[in-house]
Every structure is written in structure tokens, then in C-alpha cells.
Amino acid sequence: MYRLKSLFLAVVFCALSFFQSYAGDIKSSNDLLNAIAGSTDKQVVLVNFYASWCPPCREEIKDLIKVREQFSSNDLRIIAVNLDEEASIMQAFNKSAGINYETYHDFQGNISSFFNFQSIPFNIIYSKAGKAIYAKPGAIPLQRLIELIEYGLTK
């Protein structure tokens, strides 16, 4: 009975997590680094720190959605880390914004504190070889973002 209950809860949790904001398995900077390391031999990884209350973040999200549509998931993985205080705020915002890439909630700063940035949006782009080719605060203009991803695919 305990196993059945545990299995049921696990299935419900996974379904809710996926429905609301994709899988919530990145909970620390180590988890994020492992996800990056697991992807970089295959694809460029763009890590984006954002919040719903941040006007430049809101503008940049439009470009991230376009980039997600332009590049296949084989070539590009976008991992967005949300800094809103409440997961429900993030989920409602993500849905209204039409976000089409992975997002994770980091209201306690367990992930973002590792990267020691002072403002958002903050982006890090890793090439297929796992080397950080870009790490700066501020929104990346769409054309520059495309150039960085294309560059990362060749390195």
C-alpha cells in the first residue's frame, strides 16, 4: 500500500510539475551545472535568469521564444531560472508570455547565488564543447543572440 501511494504521489507530482513549468528537478547550482554538463556535448546551452516584474526580462523573453522556434532542441537547450517570490506568479506569467522552453523557480536564490550577478536579465551561453562563450547582465538583442548560438554550435 505504501509503494502504491508513493508511486501515485510521484506520478501526480511529475504531471503537475510538467504542466506548470516543466520538470522541477533543478533545485541547486550543482543541479544546474550537471544539466549544463549533460547537454554541452550535444547542444548549445543558454541559461537565462529572469523575473516577471523585470521589464527588460519581459522584452527578452519574446526573443527567447523566437530563438527556441528557430533552433531545434538538438542544437539548443534553453534553461530559464525564474526569481519571482511565488511559483504561482512564475507559472501564470510563463503561461501568459507563451514561454516555450524549460523554466525553473529559484525564489530562495539557491541557484542564482552561485553565479554572483547583480542584475537581471542575466545570460550565460555555453558552446557545444561546454565552454562559456557569453556571460553578461542585460538583454541580448535578437540578432546577437542568434550569432552567439550559431558560434556556439561550431565550437
Side-chain angles (χ1 to χ4, degrees):
M1 184 65 158
Y2 176 75
R3 278 191 195 176
L4 186 58
K5 184 178 178 183
S6 296
L7 179 61
F8 175 75
L9 290 174
V11 169
V12 169
F13 175 74
C14 288
L16 287 174
S17 294
F18 181 79
F19 178 73
Q20 295 177 352
S21 67
Y22 292 93
D25 57 352
I26 295 179
K27 299 202 182 313
S28 70
S29 55
N30 283 340
D31 291 343
L32 180 57
L33 293 174
N34 287 334
I36 293 165
S39 297
T40 53
D41 63 339
K42 306 171 241 171
Q43 57 202 158
V44 171
V45 178
L46 185 157
V47 180
N48 169 260
F49 292 90
Y50 77 104
S52 65
W53 46 261
C54 165
C57 299
R58 295 171 76 98
E59 285 301 311
E60 183 176 53
I61 285 168
K62 295 172 189 174
D63 291 340
L64 294 176
I65 290 169
K66 290 176 187 172
V67 164
R68 171 70 285 147
E69 292 169 351
Q70 182 174 340
F71 291 90
S72 77
S73 58
N74 292 331
D75 289 336
L76 174 66
R77 181 176 183 187
I78 300 174
I79 301 172
V81 181
N82 178 280
L83 305 176
D84 285 319
E85 288 187 24
E86 300 288 330
S88 61
I89 294 170
M90 175 197 77
Q91 293 159 353
F93 172 75
N94 288 358
K95 185 176 181 179
S96 70
I99 289 178
N100 58 357
Y101 46 85
E102 295 174 68
T103 60
Y104 300 92
H105 189 232
D106 186 36
F107 77 97
Q108 293 179 332
N110 294 331
I111 301 169
S112 55
S113 63
F114 176 81
F115 293 94
N116 195 29
F117 53 86
Q118 303 302 314
S119 63
I120 56 174
F122 184 81
N123 295 287
I124 309 167
I125 300 176
Y126 295 89
S127 71
K128 285 176 65 171
K131 182 178 180 182
I133 58 172
Y134 183 93
K136 293 183 182 176
I140 306 171
L142 179 59
Q143 188 56 44
R144 178 70 175 138
L145 184 56
I146 291 168
E147 291 168 2
L148 287 164
I149 293 166
E150 289 174 344
Y151 176 78
L153 287 168
T154 65
K155 299 295 171 193

